[in-house]
Structures are given as structure tokens and as C-alpha cells.
Amino acid sequence: QQQVKQSPQSLIVQKGGIPIINCAYENTAFDYFPWYQQFPGKGPALLIAIRPDVSEKKEGRFTISFNKSAKQFSLHIMDSQPGDSATYFCAASRAFGNEKLTFGTGTRLTIIP
Amino acid sequence: KAGVTQTPRYLIKTRGQQVTLSCSPISGHRSVSWYQQTPGQGLQFLFEYFSETQRNKGNFPGRFSGRQFSNSRSEMNVSTLELGDSALYLCASSLFGGGYTFGSGTRLTVV
């Protein structure tokens, strides 16, 4: 059973645009929602994470928006750059991240100059 | 500060063989998790070790096993390899769990 659904599968955005990646979860016991960035040949790297007691969190050009009632969260990348081209994964966990991560299927993002 | 180190980076094995992958976590990190990444199934949780004890286990057959040593280094073993075991195997470490830092993975190809 896929517990975290991620969309779109791929996304092409012009430099300076704001790509948005969406995720939806089913398990209401999830209470920790991180986003990971993965470049080819590398492992996923933690970008930013949010807990359900806040609706938005910003770190640099990356913003997570969280809608607890809809069980959805999204990643926005402001002023996107070609160097942001990577695969992005949302994930969810229980016990504030102390249990296993359940990952979305990933979004391949391409930023064109 | 050294990151999570996984060895070897690449491995080619024959169907039916067994393989052992190694992971050295970030110094001081006591939790080590293993994930399998494939194009079809994405990132799937294998198991987690904390202070040498398996704390969580994913839905993989018993051919997949792991262990953690007193210095927090971890190994995972896959016996009787199948073609479908070809994947990128990722290790991640954290202090207590959560906020995981991933290694670059071991690319296993089964032929």
C-alpha cells in the first residue's frame, strides 16, 4: 500500500520560476514530513522538514506548505536555478522522525536556463 | 566531519550468490537504517539498527539481513541473490533516529 503519493513524476521549469511538488499521505499517525534532494550517483540529502503543528516552513529558497486537514504537503523552490535540477522525494514518518521513512515516488525536476 | 561511508560503491554478483554490504555511519550516530532504491519500487525501507539491536524491519524476505557492531558500523547481507535484487542500497545514519543522513549507496547488479 503506497502511503505517500507524490506528483508530478517529472517537471520542467524555466530558470527563475517556482516549481511546486505535491505530496499526499494517508496515515494520520505521520508527524514528520521531510523533503530530500537526490543528484545522480548520490544518496538523498535532507533539504527541509516540517511537523504538523505549523503550516509553512522556509529555509533559504525552499518552502514547505502543509495542510493537515487535507493531509497534503508541498515543496516550493523560489528563484529556481539549473543547479536545482535533481530528483526530489517527499517522505513521512511517525514519532517525529524516529521511525522509518516512507517515501513518495519522486519528482525529476529540470530547470532550463 | 566525515559523512556516511558505504563500501563497495559497485558490485556485480551472479544469481544465487550472497553479498555483504558495509556502512560506516557519521561518528557518534547510533541509528543506522538501510533502504533499497529501484526505478520501479522507489525507496523501500529494509531495516533499522540502534545500539546493535534491530529496531524496525521492512517487508523484505528473510534473505535480507543485517547487523550492527558496537562501533555502530553496520552490514547488510543478501543471500541467494535474485535478478530482482539489483538495486541501489542506501545506508542512512542519525543520532537517535530521524534527520537521517544518507550515504552514496552501493550499486548492486545481479546477473
Side-chain angles (χ1 to χ4, degrees):
Chain A
Q1 179 190 12
Q2 182 188 359
Q3 294 190 34
V4 180
K5 295 182 179 180
Q6 183 171 347
S7 63
Q9 191 171 14
S10 63
L11 187 57
I12 300 174
V13 173
Q14 279 204 312
K15 177 184 173 182
I18 304 175
I20 300 172
I21 304 171
N22 300 298
C23 284
Y25 63 97
E26 300 168 3
N27 188 346
T28 55
F30 287 146
D31 56 16
Y32 174 75
F33 303 89
W35 284 89
Y36 283 83
Q37 178 190 57
Q38 186 176 29
F39 292 105
K42 298 290 187 182
L46 178 64
L47 265 180
I48 184 173
I50 197 168
R51 294 181 179 180
D53 52 342
V54 298
S55 59
E56 186 176 276
K57 183 175 180 180
K58 293 181 181 180
E59 284 189 7
R61 296 185 294 109
F62 299 94
T63 298
I64 298 179
S65 297
F66 187 84
N67 186 328
K68 187 175 181 179
S69 61
K71 292 186 287 184
Q72 295 175 348
F73 58 109
S74 59
L75 177 71
H76 298 61
I77 305 175
M78 307 303 176
D79 187 28
S80 58
Q81 301 296 315
D84 296 328
S85 297
T87 300
Y88 292 80
F89 293 92
C90 62
S93 174
R94 304 191 308 176
F96 300 115
N98 285 306
E99 293 195 6
K100 66 174 185 177
L101 292 167
T102 298
F103 283 90
T105 50
T107 296
R108 181 170 292 185
L109 173 65
T110 303
I111 307 298
I112 53 176
Chain B
K1 186 176 182 181
V4 178
T5 303
Q6 291 188 245
T7 56
R9 287 297 312 275
Y10 302 93
L11 208 49
I12 300 176
K13 288 288 187 179
T14 303
R15 192 171 48 182
Q17 287 186 315
Q18 75 164 15
V19 66
T20 299
L21 312 181
S22 180
C23 172
S24 293
I26 291 173
S27 178
H29 283 193
R30 297 165 62 188
S31 170
V32 174
S33 295
W34 289 88
Y35 289 81
Q36 182 196 63
Q37 186 174 24
T38 59
Q41 299 298 316
L43 284 148
Q44 302 284 317
F45 172 77
L46 280 156
F47 28 66
E48 184 213 357
Y49 287 87
F50 183 83
S51 293
E52 302 180 66
T53 301
Q54 187 179 85
R55 193 160 69 170
N56 284 301
K57 189 177 189 305
N59 297 322
F60 278 81
R63 300 185 296 107
F64 292 81
S65 62
R67 59 178 176 169
Q68 186 180 33
F69 302 95
S70 58
N71 61 358
S72 292
R73 191 178 70 86
S74 178
E75 289 181 347
M76 69 163 281
N77 184 78
V78 188
S79 62
T80 319
L81 283 166
E82 301 176 359
L83 296 178
D85 297 333
S86 295
L88 180 67
Y89 289 89
L90 292 159
C91 168
S93 77
S94 72
L95 269 174
F96 300 108
Y100 288 101
T101 300
F102 282 83
S104 292
T106 293
R107 172 76 62 186
L108 172 65
T109 302
V110 182
V111 298

